Amino acid sequence: MTDCRKVFFGQLSQSSAAVDVHTEPCMASRPGVESDDDIVILAARRTPIGKAKRGMLKDTRPEDMLSTVFKALLEETKLDPRAIGDICVGNVLLPGAGALQARFGQFFSDIPETTPISAVNRQCSSGLQAVMNVAGDIAMGVCDIGIGAGVESMSQRSIGDGQGQELSPKVFDIQIAQDCLIPMGITSENVAERYGVDRKKQDAFSLLSQQRAATAASQGLFDAEIVPITTTVKDKNGDEKTVTVSKDEGIRPTTAEGLAKLRPAFKPGGTTTAGNSSQVSDGAAAVLLARRSAAKKLGLPVFGVIRSFAVVGVPPDVMGIGPAYAIPEALKKAGLTVDDIDIFEINEAFASQAVYCVEKLGIPFEKVNPKGGAIALGHPLGCTGSRQIATALHEMKRRGKRGYAVISMCIGTGMGAAAVIEYPGLKSHL
């Protein structure tokens, strides 16, 4: 077996001033070259994204959202659940990264107890990290087939829940450690001020996200990636009703004038508002992965190929700049450039940081989040990285040509993650 471990495990966290670490693409992951040891994606699906606290998924438990997407992967591929060698689920807000709920979701999906499962919390990149953990398992020979997933109910757990434990007093003696406690909205303001991303640019980017998402939804472009979920929701009186949710709830009519009227959300005189920030949301997504040789043996078509993955560290007080440093590392590992990429799915934690990253890297805006991003769709923290893979690959399939997508996001406490995924073309996915 060709040694691909350095693709998944060779990237250590780096400061933003030290991102020129030399890396080589793994021979088995060289773009355009097929190998039986390639880590391939067989399917990627997600639930609709619900509005936290107010939407139709507010009373749906994480394990029920997970079982919905797990079952969808199995139904789409007709895969025997016993063939799954490992599962990893990303989550941010649940205790223990939701390890217990992940196991429940597995059993709700009739995946046997002989399949092991783990949970991971790398904050906003947790859904992507879960996929890459399973890819690493496959590269290391731990298993041949696995599922990487992500889930978050921001209705049932809020940022800050369970974080009231006493902090080490050392935190307040070391500035960079103390910076990890800066609220995310203030890090957005820091990026805007430090790198000159004005309110006009932020609102224009946000308007485009809403417009693109609305257009995509109206044309049914999300339908192939979304798994409708039937669930129970309570009204304000506590009365329950059964609903089937099939559409994202965060997309809303938006105008430049409406965005301009919104007040700063995090500090007086600031530029970050509710309209140019990601929405708090509920949702789940899952990605089925395999070694190419295993996919061939089972006669399963290849939906995507993982070509590289990178994680970097950046200053915590401007954590949003992470993609600007992670994306070049992932591209270098894959032997590609910005010009080679067809779609950049960059998480829109805040318009300030998304605009900065896109401009710094010279990415054409028409390639960024062509169906809208988290400002319009929402950002269920642990789910987003897996959701982005589903969104990108289904859009690549719709276009029908072989090409490449980058999945990237900033990460709280000062990091960025990025992956390069190849869509092999329609002939490989028939």
Side-chain angles (χ1 to χ4, degrees):
M1 181 176 70
T2 305
D3 187 356
C4 296
R5 287 172 289 181
K6 62 185 175 182
V7 171
F8 301 103
F9 300 106
Q11 178 67 27
L12 299 177
S13 183
Q14 309 153 21
S15 73
S16 60
V19 295
D20 290 326
V21 175
H22 181 69
T23 56
E24 293 290 342
C26 172
M27 292 301 292
S29 287
R30 194 173 297 280
V33 178
E34 289 190 9
S35 165
D36 279 351
D37 288 321
D38 285 340
I39 314 303
V40 301
I41 293 170
L42 304 179
R45 302 293 296 277
R46 67 175 179 93
T47 67
I49 301 174
K51 292 181 180 180
K53 311 290 186 182
R54 298 175 292 137
M56 292 294 101
L57 297 180
K58 67 182 180 65
D59 300 311
T60 304
R61 296 191 58 82
E63 51 265 41
D64 293 319
M65 290 190 280
L66 275 176
S67 67
T68 296
V69 290
F70 286 167
K71 288 177 180 178
L73 296 182
L74 295 172
E75 289 170 4
E76 178 179 333
T77 59
K78 310 303 181 188
L79 183 69
D80 185 337
R82 294 173 296 181
I84 299 169
D86 199 6
I87 303 171
C88 185
V89 177
N91 183 270
V92 177
L93 300 179
L94 287 167
L100 183 62
Q101 289 80 4
R103 189 70 160 166
F104 290 160
Q106 168 189 347
F107 293 153
F108 292 175
S109 310
D110 295 325
I111 299 172
E113 74 278 2
T114 50
T115 300
I117 195 165
S118 63
V120 62
N121 180 356
R122 199 189 281 248
Q123 307 220 30
C124 293
S125 71
S126 297
L128 177 61
Q129 187 65 56
V131 171
M132 294 304 159
N133 282 2
V134 173
D137 282 349
I138 295 170
M140 291 289 290
V142 174
C143 63
D144 284 332
I145 300 174
I147 294 175
V151 66
E152 206 74 67
S153 173
M154 299 182 78
S155 293
Q156 298 180 18
R157 298 282 298 187
S158 298
I159 295 174
D161 286 355
Q163 296 180 4
Q165 66 269 27
E166 185 178 349
L167 294 171
S168 166
K170 289 183 180 180
V171 169
F172 301 98
D173 295 331
I174 302 171
Q175 186 61 53
I176 195 167
Q178 189 173 338
D179 287 347
C180 292
L181 303 177
I182 295 173
M184 294 295 99
I186 298 301
T187 70
S188 172
E189 294 288 5
N190 290 345
V191 170
E193 293 172 12
R194 196 168 304 177
Y195 302 106
V197 185
D198 61 27
R199 172 75 180 267
K200 185 177 181 180
K201 279 187 177 181
Q202 293 176 53
D203 284 354
F205 182 87
S206 303
L207 178 61
L208 186 60
S209 181
Q210 287 284 358
Q211 290 174 334
R212 286 176 170 175
T215 297
S218 68
Q219 295 177 354
L221 303 189
F222 293 116
D223 293 354
E225 66 195 69
I226 288 177
V227 185
I229 178 169
T230 298
T231 187
T232 300
V233 63
K234 295 178 182 178
D235 64 21
K236 61 182 180 181
N237 298 318
D239 296 325
E240 296 183 349
K241 66 175 180 179
T242 299
V243 296
T244 297
V245 188
S246 60
K247 304 292 183 183
D248 297 316
E249 296 179 342
I251 305 169
R252 55 189 182 267
T254 307
T255 65
E257 294 76 17
L259 288 170
K261 291 177 181 178
L262 295 175
R263 295 180 179 180
F266 299 101
K267 76 174 192 178
T271 58
T272 302
T273 72
N276 58 38
S277 305
S278 58
Q279 301 178 45
V280 293
S281 311
D282 307 322
V287 180
L288 181 63
L289 302 110
R291 191 184 315 281
R292 189 188 290 273
S293 58
K296 285 181 178 179
K297 186 176 180 180
L298 292 171
L300 294 173
V302 171
F303 194 19
V305 186
I306 296 177
R307 292 305 183 186
S308 71
F309 176 55
V311 183
V312 303
V314 299
D317 65 331
V318 285
M319 64 91 202
I321 68 175
Y325 295 92
I327 289 172
E329 282 298 300
L331 290 174
K332 185 192 301 183
K333 284 170 176 269
L336 298 170
T337 69
V338 166
D339 291 340
D340 295 316
I341 306 303
D342 299 278
I343 293 174
F344 289 84
E345 280 287 331
I346 300 176
N347 188 42
E348 300 167 358
F350 301 96
S352 61
Q353 55 84 210
V355 169
Y356 167 77
C357 294
V358 171
E359 291 187 339
K360 179 175 175 58
L361 297 179
I363 301 171
F365 274 91
E366 59 267 21
K367 290 186 176 184
V368 179
N369 301 342
K371 295 191 287 191
I375 288 170
L377 299 175
H379 177 24
L381 305 176
C383 161
T384 289
S386 299
R387 191 279 300 168
Q388 289 173 294
I389 292 174
T391 298
L393 281 177
H394 282 281
E395 175 62 15
M396 297 286 281
K397 180 184 178 183
R398 187 183 72 83
R399 297 180 183 188
K401 298 179 180 179
R402 188 178 74 85
Y404 302 97
V406 164
I407 310 300
S408 187
M409 67 287 292
C410 58
I411 305 171
T413 72
M415 291 175 278
V420 177
I421 297 175
E422 180 179 359
Y423 175 68
L426 284 174
K427 289 183 180 180
S428 295
H429 198 239
L430 295 176

